[in-house]
Amino acid sequence: MAAAGIVAAVSLALCSCTAGFLSYITEERQGNVFVIFVNNAPARAAFTFGSYDSLDRNPPGAVALQQLRVEANSSAAQVTLPCRRDIAVATAALIKRAIDTDADRNLQNFDADAFGETVHFSTAPVASDSASLPTAGESNGRNMRLGVDFTCGDTLIFTFEEDPDAPGGFRIDFEVIPDVEPDDDDR
């Protein structure tokens, strides 16, 4: 009788979930994700990004944290991140997780000016103290979710664009190149 009650409760809970959330919590997390940043903007982009599992809260799970500066009208080399539930570029949740897990303190060559909830766009000289500050503007961050926006093995492309209609004058576009290798269970 108790087992039937548990099954009924789980079924009811699952029925109230959205398909996106079910994909997010059930998609396999194994391997890596590949990330490319393209800066089509007329200013350098400076930002913090990484992968983490937002559902790992008590204690907060680890974050694979990195920072980049991508010069105007250029792109960065592909970056490999461990596949986790969230791939974030300059979001409040990413920054909070980094602080909660001391990932920011453990990051080699940490750039405090690029550590924030927005992507900074700077036209200051590369070697200046303002090189990572938003002298030209900023953009809101982006968070992409496993099973909803990407799967493990995919390549995620974040493109920075100047946009006078966006808050801060810039935006981040996103596209995914799906992994074409068959999964082990598909063979």
Side-chain angles (χ1 to χ4, degrees):
M1 189 72 162
I6 292 172
V7 169
V10 169
S11 296
L12 183 60
L14 290 177
C15 289
S16 64
C17 292
T18 65
F21 183 72
L22 284 175
S23 294
Y24 177 66
I25 64 172
T26 60
E27 182 67 35
E28 180 180 348
R29 292 177 295 162
Q30 184 175 349
N32 294 312
V33 172
F34 308 97
V35 183
I36 298 172
F37 295 98
V38 177
N39 186 3
N40 289 335
R44 174 184 321 102
F47 55 97
T48 300
F49 68 101
S51 66
Y52 68 103
D53 290 322
S54 64
L55 298 178
D56 293 347
R57 297 180 182 160
N58 193 11
V63 57
L65 192 70
Q66 296 194 34
Q67 293 181 307
L68 276 178
R69 288 183 185 175
V70 183
E71 293 301 319
N73 301 306
S74 70
S75 59
Q78 178 176 286
V79 177
T80 301
L81 292 172
C83 188
R84 296 190 175 144
R85 290 194 198 287
D86 296 89
I87 304 294
V89 179
T91 66
L94 172 68
I95 299 305
K96 180 174 180 356
R97 178 61 60 93
I99 292 168
D100 289 348
T101 61
D102 290 330
D104 56 322
R105 292 184 179 173
N106 297 321
L107 190 62
Q108 196 170 39
N109 300 320
F110 178 74
D111 183 354
D113 293 334
F115 187 67
E117 301 173 10
T118 60
V119 174
H120 297 168
F121 291 89
S122 179
T123 54
V126 172
S128 74
D129 290 342
S130 301
S132 293
L133 294 176
T135 62
E138 58 190 9
S139 76
N140 292 332
R142 293 282 307 249
N143 187 77
M144 310 319 292
R145 299 183 316 151
L146 179 66
V148 177
D149 302 305
F150 70 93
T151 60
C152 295
D154 289 351
T155 299
L156 287 60
I157 302 172
F158 294 92
T159 304
F160 304 120
E161 299 284 354
E162 186 173 33
D163 183 350
D165 296 328
F170 296 87
R171 72 172 192 274
I172 304 172
D173 293 339
F174 170 78
E175 64 182 292
V176 63
I177 300 172
D179 175 28
V180 294
E181 295 292 320
D183 295 334
D184 291 337
D185 56 357
D186 293 339
R187 292 181 191 156

